[in-house]
Every structure is written in C-alpha cells, then in structure tokens.
Amino acid sequence: MMPTDLDVPDDPATRQALAALQQQAAQAVDAIIDRLAARLRADFLAVPEKPSGHYGLAEAGARARRQAALARDCRLLAQEMVFASLLHLENPQWNPLGPATPAPPPGVLATLLSH
C-alpha cells in the first residue's frame, strides 16, 4: 500500500528519502519503457518500405513524419505493455493477448509515483 501524506512522518529527511525513491522508481520504469519502445520501433523499421521511385524534399519530410509517428506509437504501446504487466503481476494465468486485458489509464506513471 502506498503511503499517503498522513502516513509519512512530518520529517524533512523522511520526505526527501521518499521523494528520492519515487524518482528512482520513475526513472527505472521509464528506462524499461524506453528500451521496449526502441525494440518495437526497430522491429517495425526492419520491415522494408516500398520505394516510391523518386526521393525529394517532400518525400523526406513525409518519411520523417512517419518515423516520428511510429516512435510515438511505439512508446505508447510500450507504456501500455509495461503497465498492463504491472497490473497483472500477481496473476500467473493472465494472458496479455486476451481480449479482456484492460488498457492502463492515461498518466498512470505520474499517478502511481505521486503518492
């Protein structure tokens, strides 16, 4: 159970230690998400694109926009995968591909670590 403001002694050292632990936890989860997103992106980029026949400034811009959207989508998917796994950590029967798997709420990392 996460401590609330009432559970934490009114001690600056305790509050500072808790804040440091929250920051470490956020950084650790963020690093996992970053690695998973990079892996997903690499897997998607491994599929060759069909060349359009000509390559100019407009095509380069369109490709950059597609890659940026892909990176954003991979990061969102990685977040959902990590948090869905955490939500079902104590359920060994959980099937991540099952239709009943709920998506974690938006901003769940900030919510989890703000307590």
Side-chain angles (χ1 to χ4, degrees):
M1 188 164 122
M2 296 291 297
T4 65
D5 287 336
L6 299 176
D7 297 326
V8 178
D10 194 17
D11 172 28
T14 303
R15 288 191 183 276
Q16 187 176 12
L18 180 60
L21 287 173
Q22 287 175 323
Q23 185 177 11
Q24 287 176 340
Q27 289 171 347
V29 171
D30 214 29
I32 293 168
I33 291 169
D34 287 344
R35 285 193 308 270
L36 181 55
R39 175 69 189 267
L40 290 169
R41 187 170 178 265
D43 288 350
F44 280 115
L45 292 177
V47 177
E49 280 188 37
K50 294 180 182 178
S52 64
H54 46 66
Y55 193 75
L57 189 56
E59 290 81 12
R63 182 175 180 183
R65 286 188 296 279
R66 280 193 309 272
Q67 288 183 349
L70 176 64
R72 185 177 51 250
D73 291 347
C74 286
R75 174 119 178 118
L76 290 173
L77 178 58
Q79 285 176 331
E80 288 183 17
M81 292 170 72
V82 168
F83 288 114
S85 296
L86 289 172
L87 287 171
H88 295 91
L89 193 58
E90 298 201 14
N91 180 2
Q93 303 303 317
W94 174 61
N95 176 5
L97 301 177
T101 299
V108 72
L109 178 60
T111 303
L112 287 173
L113 298 174
S114 68
H115 291 97

XYZ file of all heavy atoms in Angstrom:
861
model
N 0.845 -1.175 0.000
C 0.000 0.000 0.000
C 0.891 1.239 0.000
O 1.856 1.325 0.745
C -0.897 -0.021 1.227
C -1.925 1.068 1.203
S -3.219 0.720 2.388
C -3.107 2.159 3.383
N 0.567 2.192 -0.837
C 1.352 3.419 -0.948
C 1.054 4.337 0.236
O -0.084 4.462 0.652
C 1.008 4.170 -2.242
C 1.347 3.435 -3.514
S 3.107 3.279 -3.779
C 3.578 4.987 -3.933
N 2.082 4.956 0.786
C 1.830 5.882 1.895
C 1.136 7.138 1.401
O 1.312 7.569 0.276
C 3.229 6.202 2.416
C 4.153 5.873 1.315
C 3.479 4.828 0.456
N 0.321 7.700 2.252
C -0.304 8.979 1.961
C 0.425 10.034 2.769
O 1.313 9.728 3.560
C -1.793 8.964 2.346
O -1.887 8.816 3.758
C -2.539 7.862 1.632
N 0.053 11.270 2.590
C 0.685 12.342 3.353
C 0.527 12.125 4.850
O 1.372 12.516 5.633
C 0.095 13.705 2.962
C 0.563 14.138 1.584
O 1.621 13.660 1.153
O -0.138 14.942 0.954
N -0.567 11.477 5.269
C -0.790 11.238 6.691
C 0.085 10.116 7.224
O 0.385 10.061 8.409
C -2.267 10.921 6.937
C -3.251 12.024 6.562
C -4.678 11.549 6.754
C -2.996 13.281 7.377
N 0.502 9.191 6.349
C 1.314 8.060 6.775
C 2.790 8.417 6.927
O 3.522 7.714 7.619
C 1.204 6.916 5.776
C -0.211 6.373 5.683
O -0.918 6.350 6.697
O -0.586 5.969 4.577
N 3.251 9.458 6.260
C 4.655 9.836 6.274
C 4.889 10.814 7.418
O 4.201 11.821 7.528
C 5.070 10.477 4.929
C 6.521 10.912 4.965
C 4.824 9.512 3.791
N 5.862 10.508 8.273
C 6.142 11.450 9.366
C 6.502 12.824 8.816
O 7.063 12.946 7.736
C 7.342 10.828 10.083
C 7.391 9.412 9.633
C 6.743 9.358 8.287
N 6.159 13.838 9.587
C 6.457 15.206 9.172
C 7.936 15.492 9.447
O 8.279 16.322 10.283
C 5.552 16.194 9.901
C 5.600 17.568 9.260
O 6.064 17.667 8.105
O 5.179 18.532 9.912
N 8.763 14.758 8.719
C 10.197 14.837 8.895
C 10.819 15.128 7.532
O 10.616 14.360 6.586
C 10.704 13.509 9.462
C 12.209 13.420 9.516
O 12.867 14.466 9.641
O 12.722 12.282 9.441
N 11.552 16.223 7.397
C 12.140 16.560 6.100
C 13.033 15.456 5.530
O 13.027 15.205 4.327
C 12.941 17.829 6.377
C 12.353 18.413 7.611
C 11.826 17.260 8.404
N 13.771 14.763 6.365
C 14.661 13.700 5.884
C 13.853 12.535 5.314
O 14.201 11.975 4.278
C 15.567 13.223 7.013
N 12.753 12.180 5.978
C 11.897 11.091 5.501
C 11.230 11.481 4.185
O 11.170 10.686 3.252
C 10.831 10.735 6.556
O 11.489 10.387 7.766
C 9.961 9.587 6.102
N 10.739 12.693 4.133
C 10.109 13.157 2.888
C 11.123 13.201 1.741
O 10.805 12.832 0.619
C 9.474 14.523 3.090
C 8.229 14.470 3.938
C 7.478 15.805 3.888
N 6.330 15.766 4.751
C 5.142 15.260 4.405
N 4.971 14.764 3.222
N 4.147 15.271 5.264
N 12.332 13.625 2.026
C 13.377 13.685 0.999
C 13.748 12.276 0.535
O 13.924 12.038 -0.660
C 14.604 14.406 1.542
C 15.664 14.660 0.496
C 16.830 15.472 1.060
O 16.964 15.652 2.261
N 17.663 15.958 0.171
N 13.840 11.339 1.469
C 14.156 9.951 1.109
C 13.042 9.350 0.262
O 13.308 8.659 -0.732
C 14.371 9.118 2.371
N 11.794 9.626 0.618
C 10.660 9.134 -0.158
C 10.661 9.732 -1.559
O 10.446 9.026 -2.547
C 9.344 9.446 0.550
C 8.073 8.990 -0.170
C 8.079 7.478 -0.374
C 6.848 9.421 0.604
N 10.935 11.016 -1.652
C 10.995 11.670 -2.965
C 12.102 11.062 -3.819
O 11.929 10.858 -5.030
C 11.200 13.172 -2.798
N 13.238 10.747 -3.211
C 14.346 10.133 -3.948
C 13.955 8.744 -4.448
O 14.264 8.378 -5.594
C 15.593 10.063 -3.069
N 13.264 7.977 -3.614
C 12.809 6.649 -4.032
C 11.787 6.738 -5.160
O 11.811 5.944 -6.100
C 12.219 5.896 -2.841
C 13.217 5.397 -1.809
C 12.488 4.817 -0.606
C 14.163 4.375 -2.413
N 10.882 7.712 -5.065
C 9.897 7.903 -6.134
C 10.592 8.251 -7.442
O 10.231 7.747 -8.506
C 8.907 8.999 -5.747
C 7.928 8.573 -4.686
C 7.045 9.721 -4.232
O 7.492 10.869 -4.140
N 5.796 9.424 -3.928
N 11.602 9.103 -7.374
C 12.334 9.491 -8.576
C 13.073 8.298 -9.170
O 13.061 8.095 -10.380
C 13.296 10.623 -8.272
C 14.000 11.145 -9.506
C 14.908 12.329 -9.202
O 15.171 12.646 -8.052
N 15.391 12.964 -10.236
N 13.699 7.485 -8.321
C 14.396 6.292 -8.802
C 13.424 5.315 -9.457
O 13.725 4.732 -10.504
C 15.129 5.592 -7.656
C 16.363 6.306 -7.189
C 16.990 5.598 -5.990
O 16.347 4.816 -5.289
N 18.256 5.897 -5.746
N 12.267 5.135 -8.853
C 11.263 4.235 -9.415
C 10.774 4.741 -10.764
O 10.648 3.973 -11.721
C 10.095 4.073 -8.449
N 10.510 6.026 -10.845
C 10.055 6.613 -12.115
C 11.115 6.449 -13.195
O 10.802 6.106 -14.342
C 9.719 8.090 -11.918
N 12.368 6.674 -12.852
C 13.453 6.535 -13.820
C 13.614 5.086 -14.269
O 13.849 4.816 -15.456
C 14.764 7.066 -13.241
C 14.780 8.571 -13.106
C 15.989 9.088 -12.322
O 16.695 8.329 -11.668
N 16.206 10.391 -12.394
N 13.476 4.144 -13.339
C 13.603 2.728 -13.680
C 12.491 2.285 -14.625
O 12.745 1.619 -15.640
C 13.605 1.873 -12.415
N 11.258 2.672 -14.322
C 10.131 2.309 -15.184
C 10.271 2.994 -16.539
O 10.040 2.382 -17.579
C 8.786 2.651 -14.508
C 7.622 2.483 -15.473
C 8.579 1.786 -13.275
N 10.683 4.239 -16.534
C 10.877 4.971 -17.784
C 11.956 4.313 -18.645
O 11.816 4.228 -19.868
C 11.248 6.423 -17.478
C 10.686 7.387 -18.499
O 9.630 7.092 -19.096
O 11.322 8.436 -18.703
N 13.015 3.820 -18.026
C 14.081 3.148 -18.774
C 13.575 1.856 -19.405
O 13.921 1.538 -20.553
C 15.270 2.869 -17.855
N 12.745 1.116 -18.679
C 12.158 -0.107 -19.234
C 11.288 0.235 -20.438
O 11.349 -0.415 -21.482
C 11.345 -0.858 -18.158
C 12.272 -1.402 -17.079
C 10.509 -1.979 -18.788
C 11.551 -1.902 -15.844
N 10.473 1.262 -20.290
C 9.592 1.687 -21.390
C 10.421 2.138 -22.583
O 10.124 1.788 -23.730
C 8.627 2.786 -20.917
C 7.613 2.201 -19.931
C 7.907 3.442 -22.101
C 6.777 3.230 -19.207
N 11.483 2.900 -22.338
C 12.351 3.362 -23.435
C 12.963 2.188 -24.198
O 12.999 2.184 -25.427
C 13.468 4.258 -22.900
C 12.993 5.636 -22.476
O 11.866 6.034 -22.866
O 13.737 6.323 -21.754
N 13.467 1.187 -23.454
C 14.091 0.029 -24.113
C 13.068 -0.758 -24.924
O 13.336 -1.181 -26.052
C 14.771 -0.878 -23.088
C 16.072 -0.313 -22.557
C 16.894 -1.337 -21.788
N 16.177 -2.023 -20.734
C 16.096 -1.613 -19.467
N 16.708 -0.504 -19.100
N 15.422 -2.309 -18.570
N 11.885 -0.957 -24.361
C 10.843 -1.689 -25.075
C 10.382 -0.915 -26.304
O 10.208 -1.487 -27.381
C 9.664 -1.978 -24.141
C 8.490 -2.759 -24.736
C 8.952 -4.078 -25.350
C 7.430 -2.990 -23.674
N 10.216 0.390 -26.177
C 9.805 1.219 -27.323
C 10.856 1.175 -28.422
O 10.516 1.085 -29.611
C 9.564 2.658 -26.877
N 12.128 1.218 -28.048
C 13.203 1.141 -29.052
C 13.176 -0.205 -29.764
O 13.367 -0.278 -30.987
C 14.557 1.375 -28.391
N 12.913 -1.267 -29.010
C 12.846 -2.608 -29.619
C 11.663 -2.711 -30.572
O 11.781 -3.235 -31.679
C 12.753 -3.654 -28.508
C 12.567 -5.063 -28.980
C 13.837 -5.571 -29.673
N 13.627 -6.834 -30.305
C 13.868 -8.010 -29.751
N 14.353 -8.069 -28.536
N 13.641 -9.111 -30.409
N 10.509 -2.200 -30.146
C 9.322 -2.215 -31.009
C 9.580 -1.416 -32.281
O 9.244 -1.856 -33.388
C 8.113 -1.643 -30.262
C 7.547 -2.491 -29.134
C 6.542 -1.681 -28.321
C 6.921 -3.764 -29.663
N 10.186 -0.244 -32.119
C 10.475 0.614 -33.273
C 11.438 -0.082 -34.223
O 11.249 -0.070 -35.440
C 11.051 1.941 -32.801
C 11.231 2.946 -33.906
C 11.575 4.321 -33.320
N 11.790 5.255 -34.374
C 12.989 5.553 -34.879
N 14.066 4.995 -34.399
N 13.100 6.412 -35.864
N 12.479 -0.718 -33.692
C 13.445 -1.430 -34.530
C 12.767 -2.573 -35.280
O 13.047 -2.803 -36.467
C 14.594 -1.958 -33.677
N 11.852 -3.278 -34.599
C 11.135 -4.368 -35.258
C 10.258 -3.851 -36.394
O 10.193 -4.444 -37.462
C 10.275 -5.138 -34.252
C 11.106 -5.992 -33.299
O 12.328 -6.149 -33.535
O 10.539 -6.487 -32.314
N 9.591 -2.717 -36.176
C 8.750 -2.144 -37.228
C 9.600 -1.624 -38.387
O 9.235 -1.778 -39.547
C 7.879 -1.006 -36.690
C 6.668 -1.483 -35.960
C 6.526 -1.225 -34.602
C 5.666 -2.188 -36.597
C 5.401 -1.661 -33.908
C 4.539 -2.628 -35.921
C 4.415 -2.364 -34.565
N 10.733 -1.021 -38.078
C 11.588 -0.471 -39.126
C 12.332 -1.555 -39.893
O 12.853 -1.293 -40.982
C 12.581 0.536 -38.540
C 11.961 1.833 -38.022
C 13.031 2.714 -37.391
C 11.240 2.583 -39.138
N 12.386 -2.771 -39.353
C 13.047 -3.873 -40.044
C 12.258 -4.306 -41.277
O 12.814 -4.903 -42.194
C 13.233 -5.055 -39.102
N 10.978 -3.970 -41.297
C 10.151 -4.273 -42.463
C 10.459 -3.222 -43.521
O 10.243 -2.023 -43.290
C 8.647 -4.249 -42.093
C 7.786 -4.500 -43.324
C 8.359 -5.258 -40.993
N 10.979 -3.635 -44.684
C 11.373 -2.642 -45.693
C 10.175 -1.893 -46.274
O 9.111 -2.459 -46.489
C 12.072 -3.484 -46.769
C 11.624 -4.880 -46.546
C 11.211 -5.003 -45.110
N 10.387 -0.596 -46.477
C 9.364 0.235 -47.132
C 9.489 0.071 -48.637
O 10.582 -0.108 -49.162
C 9.591 1.717 -46.809
C 9.099 2.144 -45.476
C 9.189 3.663 -45.314
O 8.949 4.395 -46.295
O 9.515 4.101 -44.216
N 8.350 0.196 -49.297
C 8.381 0.163 -50.761
C 8.847 1.528 -51.258
O 8.272 2.552 -50.888
C 6.994 -0.146 -51.319
C 6.507 -1.533 -50.981
C 5.133 -1.769 -51.567
C 4.630 -3.139 -51.173
N 3.296 -3.385 -51.684
N 9.893 1.558 -52.063
C 10.363 2.850 -52.577
C 9.325 3.461 -53.523
O 8.671 2.757 -54.283
C 11.657 2.513 -53.321
C 11.650 1.043 -53.513
C 10.695 0.442 -52.529
N 9.206 4.791 -53.448
C 8.210 5.477 -54.271
C 8.726 5.770 -55.670
O 7.971 6.195 -56.528
C 7.786 6.783 -53.597
O 8.899 7.655 -53.516
N 9.994 5.580 -55.912
C 10.544 5.825 -57.243
C 11.340 7.105 -57.315
O 12.303 7.200 -58.045
N 10.944 8.116 -56.562
C 11.718 9.357 -56.517
C 11.848 9.790 -55.066
O 11.011 9.490 -54.226
C 11.074 10.457 -57.359
C 9.596 10.594 -57.168
N 9.029 11.002 -55.998
C 8.554 10.350 -58.010
C 7.710 11.029 -56.115
N 7.391 10.629 -57.318
N 12.927 10.486 -54.801
C 13.210 10.871 -53.426
C 13.601 12.331 -53.409
O 14.679 12.702 -53.856
C 14.338 9.993 -52.858
C 14.481 10.098 -51.368
C 13.560 9.482 -50.534
C 15.510 10.815 -50.787
C 13.673 9.561 -49.158
C 15.633 10.902 -49.410
C 14.716 10.276 -48.600
O 14.833 10.364 -47.245
N 12.710 13.147 -52.911
C 12.965 14.575 -52.842
C 12.662 15.091 -51.452
O 12.483 14.336 -50.493
N 12.599 16.403 -51.356
C 12.373 17.045 -50.070
C 11.007 16.667 -49.482
O 10.900 16.386 -48.284
C 12.488 18.563 -50.233
C 12.492 19.385 -48.964
C 13.612 18.929 -48.039
C 12.656 20.852 -49.285
N 9.987 16.621 -50.320
C 8.643 16.268 -49.838
C 8.617 14.836 -49.312
O 8.022 14.560 -48.263
C 7.614 16.438 -50.948
N 9.265 13.930 -50.024
C 9.310 12.535 -49.594
C 10.096 12.383 -48.296
O 9.736 11.610 -47.415
C 9.911 11.636 -50.677
C 9.022 11.448 -51.890
C 9.089 12.616 -52.877
O 9.984 13.486 -52.749
O 8.228 12.669 -53.765
N 11.185 13.141 -48.163
C 11.995 13.092 -46.941
C 11.180 13.599 -45.747
O 11.239 13.029 -44.659
C 13.271 13.904 -47.101
N 10.428 14.656 -45.956
C 9.579 15.187 -44.897
C 8.497 14.195 -44.500
O 8.224 14.004 -43.304
N 7.882 13.569 -45.487
C 6.838 12.584 -45.204
C 7.418 11.392 -44.446
O 6.811 10.891 -43.489
C 6.191 12.111 -46.505
N 8.613 10.969 -44.842
C 9.246 9.844 -44.155
C 9.592 10.222 -42.710
O 9.391 9.425 -41.786
C 10.503 9.414 -44.896
C 11.161 8.237 -44.267
C 12.327 7.744 -45.045
N 12.895 6.596 -44.342
C 13.949 5.968 -44.714
N 14.584 6.344 -45.804
N 14.405 4.959 -44.026
N 10.088 11.417 -42.492
C 10.414 11.871 -41.129
C 9.153 11.923 -40.272
O 9.191 11.530 -39.096
C 11.095 13.231 -41.182
N 8.045 12.392 -40.832
C 6.784 12.435 -40.082
C 6.298 11.025 -39.740
O 5.828 10.775 -38.631
C 5.723 13.206 -40.845
C 5.940 14.718 -40.833
C 4.767 15.457 -41.439
N 4.568 15.161 -42.845
C 5.249 15.724 -43.854
N 6.187 16.627 -43.602
N 4.992 15.403 -45.099
N 6.433 10.094 -40.697
C 6.038 8.701 -40.432
C 6.898 8.097 -39.325
O 6.393 7.408 -38.446
C 6.169 7.849 -41.701
C 5.010 7.986 -42.670
C 5.031 6.912 -43.742
N 6.308 6.772 -44.432
C 6.671 7.460 -45.517
N 5.852 8.340 -46.037
N 7.837 7.249 -46.082
N 8.191 8.367 -39.370
C 9.086 7.816 -38.346
C 8.803 8.423 -36.973
O 8.859 7.731 -35.961
C 10.545 7.999 -38.743
C 10.950 7.074 -39.879
C 12.423 7.182 -40.233
O 13.124 8.078 -39.776
N 12.881 6.268 -41.060
N 8.485 9.705 -36.924
C 8.145 10.350 -35.655
C 6.847 9.769 -35.099
O 6.733 9.504 -33.895
C 8.024 11.861 -35.828
N 5.867 9.553 -35.966
C 4.604 8.952 -35.528
C 4.828 7.522 -35.057
O 4.245 7.100 -34.049
C 3.581 8.988 -36.666
N 5.683 6.796 -35.751
C 5.998 5.433 -35.356
C 6.668 5.409 -33.980
O 6.310 4.603 -33.111
C 6.912 4.773 -36.393
C 7.394 3.369 -36.055
C 6.222 2.398 -35.991
C 8.414 2.910 -37.072
N 7.606 6.304 -33.752
C 8.286 6.380 -32.451
C 7.288 6.694 -31.340
O 7.319 6.082 -30.268
C 9.397 7.427 -32.491
N 6.385 7.623 -31.590
C 5.361 7.996 -30.602
C 4.433 6.812 -30.325
O 4.148 6.485 -29.169
C 4.577 9.204 -31.115
C 3.579 9.777 -30.154
C 2.895 11.020 -30.707
N 2.339 10.823 -32.038
C 2.820 11.387 -33.162
N 3.864 12.179 -33.127
N 2.251 11.156 -34.323
N 3.987 6.128 -31.389
C 3.089 4.988 -31.225
C 3.777 3.828 -30.498
O 3.167 3.162 -29.663
C 2.563 4.509 -32.576
C 1.603 5.503 -33.213
O 1.142 6.436 -32.519
O 1.314 5.348 -34.421
N 5.056 3.606 -30.800
C 5.804 2.538 -30.123
C 5.965 2.852 -28.645
O 5.871 1.965 -27.797
C 7.160 2.324 -30.791
S 7.041 1.489 -32.382
N 6.189 4.102 -28.311
C 6.322 4.490 -26.903
C 4.994 4.276 -26.165
O 4.979 3.761 -25.049
C 6.760 5.946 -26.806
C 6.767 6.458 -25.375
C 8.114 6.888 -24.942
N 8.059 7.419 -23.594
C 8.707 6.896 -22.585
N 9.507 5.889 -22.773
N 8.612 7.404 -21.381
N 3.887 4.669 -26.796
C 2.573 4.463 -26.166
C 2.278 2.980 -25.979
O 1.786 2.559 -24.926
C 1.477 5.126 -26.996
C 1.478 6.651 -26.992
C 0.455 7.190 -27.986
C 1.192 7.180 -25.596
N 2.602 2.181 -26.983
C 2.389 0.741 -26.883
C 3.272 0.149 -25.780
O 2.812 -0.679 -24.989
C 2.684 0.058 -28.221
C 2.553 -1.462 -28.244
C 1.155 -1.900 -27.823
C 2.906 -1.991 -29.629
N 4.511 0.588 -25.696
C 5.412 0.108 -24.651
C 4.869 0.463 -23.274
O 4.901 -0.367 -22.352
C 6.815 0.689 -24.852
N 4.362 1.674 -23.109
C 3.772 2.069 -21.822
C 2.607 1.157 -21.460
O 2.497 0.691 -20.330
C 3.284 3.516 -21.874
C 4.377 4.527 -21.822
C 3.849 5.943 -21.976
O 2.830 6.181 -22.622
N 4.547 6.895 -21.398
N 1.738 0.910 -22.418
C 0.584 0.048 -22.159
C 1.030 -1.359 -21.794
O 0.477 -1.974 -20.877
C -0.343 0.013 -23.373
C -1.116 1.294 -23.574
C -2.079 1.219 -24.742
O -2.392 0.099 -25.201
O -2.522 2.279 -25.191
N 2.048 -1.864 -22.484
C 2.538 -3.212 -22.201
C 3.129 -3.299 -20.790
O 2.847 -4.243 -20.052
C 3.582 -3.615 -23.248
C 3.000 -3.819 -24.637
S 4.268 -4.021 -25.905
C 4.882 -5.651 -25.508
N 3.941 -2.331 -20.420
C 4.587 -2.348 -19.109
C 3.548 -2.225 -18.000
O 3.557 -2.995 -17.029
C 5.660 -1.239 -19.006
C 6.123 -1.043 -17.567
C 6.839 -1.568 -19.903
N 2.634 -1.280 -18.117
C 1.663 -1.074 -17.050
C 0.616 -2.180 -16.990
O 0.165 -2.544 -15.904
C 1.047 0.312 -17.121
C 2.025 1.363 -16.709
C 2.489 2.289 -17.610
C 2.532 1.396 -15.422
C 3.420 3.238 -17.238
C 3.464 2.337 -15.034
C 3.904 3.266 -15.947
N 0.253 -2.745 -18.126
C -0.654 -3.897 -18.091
C 0.031 -5.063 -17.382
O -0.604 -5.768 -16.581
C -1.069 -4.292 -19.499
N 1.305 -5.244 -17.638
C 2.053 -6.304 -16.949
C 2.103 -6.057 -15.453
O 1.950 -6.983 -14.653
C 3.473 -6.396 -17.505
O 3.450 -6.771 -18.853
N 2.332 -4.815 -15.054
C 2.368 -4.492 -13.627
C 1.007 -4.695 -12.973
O 0.926 -5.169 -11.834
C 2.840 -3.052 -13.414
C 4.320 -2.797 -13.694
C 4.618 -1.306 -13.635
C 5.200 -3.565 -12.732
N -0.061 -4.345 -13.679
C -1.405 -4.514 -13.135
C -1.737 -5.986 -12.899
O -2.522 -6.322 -12.028
C -2.445 -3.899 -14.062
C -2.508 -2.376 -14.095
C -3.435 -1.906 -15.214
C -2.977 -1.834 -12.761
N -1.133 -6.864 -13.687
C -1.438 -8.294 -13.609
C -0.265 -9.097 -13.049
O -0.189 -10.310 -13.241
C -1.808 -8.818 -15.000
C -3.052 -8.214 -15.526
N -3.071 -7.067 -16.286
C -4.349 -8.571 -15.370
C -4.304 -6.751 -16.586
N -5.107 -7.640 -16.045
N 0.622 -8.456 -12.334
C 1.832 -9.080 -11.834
C 1.547 -10.314 -10.976
O 2.276 -11.304 -11.044
C 2.635 -8.054 -11.028
C 4.059 -8.414 -10.679
C 4.876 -8.685 -11.937
C 4.700 -7.296 -9.881
N 0.506 -10.283 -10.190
C 0.220 -11.387 -9.287
C -0.763 -12.398 -9.881
O -1.274 -13.255 -9.165
C -0.310 -10.842 -7.964
C 0.738 -9.972 -7.294
C 0.525 -9.801 -5.811
O -0.263 -10.556 -5.231
O 1.166 -8.907 -5.261
N -1.005 -12.333 -11.164
C -1.917 -13.253 -11.824
C -1.136 -14.075 -12.855
O -0.988 -13.663 -13.997
C -3.053 -12.485 -12.500
C -4.033 -13.402 -13.189
O -3.917 -14.622 -13.147
N -5.015 -12.812 -13.845
N -0.646 -15.265 -12.469
C 0.150 -16.067 -13.404
C -0.667 -16.595 -14.586
O -0.100 -17.006 -15.594
C 0.676 -17.221 -12.533
C -0.256 -17.298 -11.384
C -0.796 -15.908 -11.171
N -1.975 -16.553 -14.490
C -2.831 -17.031 -15.574
C -3.148 -15.936 -16.594
O -3.786 -16.196 -17.605
C -4.150 -17.569 -14.994
C -3.972 -18.667 -13.980
C -3.191 -19.854 -14.526
O -3.417 -20.274 -15.655
N -2.274 -20.372 -13.736
N -2.691 -14.715 -16.343
C -3.020 -13.594 -17.218
C -2.423 -13.802 -18.606
O -1.274 -14.181 -18.758
C -2.488 -12.300 -16.615
C -2.648 -11.121 -17.516
C -3.810 -10.604 -17.989
C -1.607 -10.309 -18.059
N -3.558 -9.516 -18.789
C -2.208 -9.317 -18.846
C -0.220 -10.324 -17.960
C -1.483 -8.354 -19.531
C 0.504 -9.370 -18.632
C -0.138 -8.400 -19.406
N -3.236 -13.559 -19.601
C -2.815 -13.671 -20.987
C -2.818 -12.266 -21.577
O -3.877 -11.677 -21.786
C -3.773 -14.576 -21.765
C -3.418 -14.649 -23.243
O -2.415 -14.103 -23.697
N -4.253 -15.331 -24.002
N -1.636 -11.703 -21.866
C -1.597 -10.329 -22.384
C -2.279 -10.174 -23.740
O -2.643 -9.070 -24.119
C -0.104 -10.025 -22.474
C 0.575 -11.327 -22.441
C -0.317 -12.288 -21.718
N -2.459 -11.275 -24.447
C -3.129 -11.199 -25.750
C -4.627 -11.420 -25.639
O -5.342 -11.336 -26.628
C -2.515 -12.224 -26.712
C -1.019 -12.055 -26.960
C -0.498 -13.169 -27.856
C -0.712 -10.697 -27.547
N -5.097 -11.686 -24.433
C -6.520 -11.935 -24.222
C -7.348 -10.681 -24.440
O -6.898 -9.566 -24.182
N -8.588 -10.852 -24.882
C -9.440 -9.697 -25.168
C -9.868 -8.931 -23.922
O -10.249 -7.784 -24.008
C -10.658 -10.313 -25.869
C -10.679 -11.734 -25.409
C -9.236 -12.122 -25.154
N -9.775 -9.550 -22.742
C -10.241 -8.893 -21.521
C -9.159 -8.046 -20.855
O -9.362 -7.537 -19.774
C -10.741 -9.939 -20.540
N -8.021 -7.879 -21.503
C -6.935 -7.107 -20.912
C -7.250 -5.624 -21.006
O -7.335 -5.075 -22.097
C -5.603 -7.393 -21.632
O -5.310 -8.768 -21.494
C -4.479 -6.567 -21.050
N -7.453 -4.963 -19.848
C -7.756 -3.529 -19.895
C -6.484 -2.709 -20.127
O -5.409 -3.082 -19.677
C -8.323 -3.249 -18.503
C -7.673 -4.265 -17.629
C -7.461 -5.491 -18.486
N -6.633 -1.627 -20.819
C -5.514 -0.702 -21.005
C -5.367 0.124 -19.740
O -6.359 0.494 -19.117
C -5.778 0.208 -22.202
N -4.126 0.391 -19.333
C -3.949 1.231 -18.154
C -4.431 2.647 -18.425
O -4.419 3.101 -19.569
C -2.449 1.203 -17.907
C -1.830 0.556 -19.080
C -2.895 -0.065 -19.911
N -4.871 3.344 -17.391
C -5.355 4.706 -17.601
C -4.231 5.641 -18.012
O -3.072 5.397 -17.678
C -5.918 5.090 -16.229
C -5.274 4.171 -15.265
C -4.935 2.921 -16.007
N -4.543 6.710 -18.735
C -3.513 7.664 -19.129
C -2.888 8.316 -17.895
O -3.560 8.558 -16.900
C -4.256 8.703 -19.969
C -5.672 8.294 -20.028
C -5.856 7.068 -19.188
N -1.596 8.558 -17.971
C -0.903 9.219 -16.878
C -0.725 8.339 -15.658
O -0.512 8.832 -14.556
N -0.784 7.010 -15.842
C -0.711 6.119 -14.704
C 0.647 6.191 -14.005
O 0.721 6.069 -12.781
C -1.068 4.665 -15.109
C 0.028 4.038 -15.929
C -1.364 3.823 -13.890
N 1.727 6.414 -14.731
C 3.040 6.518 -14.090
C 3.073 7.686 -13.116
O 3.484 7.544 -11.970
C 4.144 6.663 -15.127
C 5.558 6.833 -14.580
C 5.964 5.642 -13.730
C 6.545 7.043 -15.698
N 2.608 8.825 -13.551
C 2.594 10.002 -12.674
C 1.697 9.762 -11.475
O 2.035 10.137 -10.346
C 2.117 11.225 -13.457
N 0.574 9.093 -11.685
C -0.353 8.814 -10.595
C 0.268 7.863 -9.590
O 0.199 8.077 -8.380
C -1.664 8.214 -11.125
O -2.227 9.128 -12.069
C -2.651 7.947 -10.022
N 0.892 6.785 -10.078
C 1.496 5.814 -9.188
C 2.616 6.407 -8.360
O 2.799 6.060 -7.197
C 2.047 4.623 -9.997
C 1.037 3.661 -10.568
C 1.734 2.653 -11.469
C 0.282 2.952 -9.472
N 3.378 7.296 -8.947
C 4.553 7.813 -8.275
C 4.312 9.124 -7.534
O 5.203 9.652 -6.891
C 5.692 7.970 -9.274
C 6.127 6.658 -9.911
C 7.142 6.907 -10.997
C 6.652 5.692 -8.890
N 3.100 9.639 -7.579
C 2.825 10.916 -6.926
C 2.434 10.751 -5.466
O 2.308 11.712 -4.755
C 1.723 11.663 -7.668
O 0.499 10.981 -7.531
N 2.212 9.551 -5.036
C 1.792 9.315 -3.642
C 2.975 9.273 -2.722
O 4.013 8.896 -2.980
C 0.994 8.024 -3.537
C -0.333 8.149 -4.198
N -0.549 7.701 -5.476
C -1.480 8.671 -3.781
C -1.810 7.930 -5.795
N -2.388 8.516 -4.788
